[in-house]
Amino acid sequence: MSTRLTRGLALLGAAALCAACAKSESKIDSTAMAPADTTAKAAVAPAPAALTDTSILGLLDEINAADSTTGNMASTKGTNAAVKSFGKDMMRDHHKLRAAGQDLAKKLNITPAPPANDTLPATVKKIGDTLTATPKGADWDKLYINTEVNVHQFVLSFLQNAEAAATDSSLKTAITKATGVVQGHLTNAQAIQTKLNGAATP
């Protein structure tokens, strides 16, 4: 993983630790995307914002849009067949999840809005910029998959908190469905990660 992306995810990892501590209070820091391999310690981080149905829908929309976008990049920039296929799956599945979330928001007469202290867009931009700047090849494939493992681990944690905090039953059901999809993505990403890290060539 590149130094720039590692630094960015390490900072997010620190915030993620605070978010995990707030799980019992149904709160989460929207900037948290904790990588599996980070050793960052929670230092000074803002208090996690309490989740509401409005902010949950807002954050889900951002998350699904981001993973669909990076998936599109992987489908064209990836060189490993499994990475390209995974990217296409991310485009398809997260587009569907995003559309379903938007439809549910309309049904509930809710305008999705992330928390006021949301820095997820800035984080997504940093990740996207790093993926864009990294040359196409085996290193890019590994960078993308490592990032996807980290991101999906974060998203699963977020979904657990979101399901506990959601007040509308249909939103809870949608989150449960999304959790199954995201878990499947994580399992696939980890399998690809293992193959890429153990292979001499993509």
Side-chain angles (χ1 to χ4, degrees):
M1 183 177 292
S2 71
T3 302
R4 283 179 296 170
L5 186 57
T6 300
R7 282 202 301 266
L9 289 176
L11 292 174
L12 295 173
L17 293 176
C18 290
C21 292
K23 180 178 179 181
S24 61
E25 300 176 14
S26 296
K27 297 180 180 179
I28 191 166
D29 181 348
S30 63
T31 66
M33 278 190 185
D37 56 357
T38 184
T39 57
K41 296 181 180 179
V44 178
L51 290 173
T52 64
D53 289 359
T54 297
S55 64
I56 289 170
L57 286 165
L59 289 169
L60 285 175
D61 191 69
E62 289 182 342
I63 289 168
N64 287 316
D67 222 358
S68 181
T69 298
T70 54
N72 182 38
M73 189 184 300
S75 72
T76 57
K77 193 171 183 178
T79 54
N80 179 278
V83 170
K84 293 175 72 71
S85 178
F86 183 82
K88 291 177 181 178
D89 288 345
M90 295 306 97
M91 288 174 58
R92 180 195 65 231
D93 294 349
H94 284 283
H95 176 75
K96 288 181 178 179
L97 286 173
R98 188 183 188 196
Q102 292 173 340
D103 288 344
L104 178 59
K106 291 179 181 178
K107 179 181 178 181
L108 298 177
N109 196 28
I110 292 176
T111 300
N117 65 345
D118 178 31
T119 57
L120 182 57
T123 299
V124 169
K125 184 179 184 303
K126 288 180 181 179
I127 293 174
D129 287 347
T130 301
L131 288 170
T132 298
T134 302
K136 183 176 183 178
D139 287 343
W140 192 94
D141 291 345
K142 290 181 180 179
L143 173 62
Y144 171 71
I145 286 298
N146 288 342
T147 300
E148 285 299 291
V149 168
N150 296 335
V151 168
H152 281 80
Q153 287 173 332
F154 156 72
V155 174
L156 280 177
S157 177
F158 166 71
L159 290 173
Q160 290 174 355
N161 289 331
E163 185 172 4
T167 59
D168 183 85
S169 60
S170 58
L171 177 56
K172 284 181 177 289
T173 298
I175 293 171
T176 298
K177 181 178 180 180
T179 298
V181 174
V182 173
Q183 180 60 65
H185 290 168
L186 176 59
T187 299
N188 290 341
Q190 288 173 326
I192 297 171
Q193 182 184 54
T194 297
K195 292 179 180 178
L196 291 181
N197 290 338
T201 57

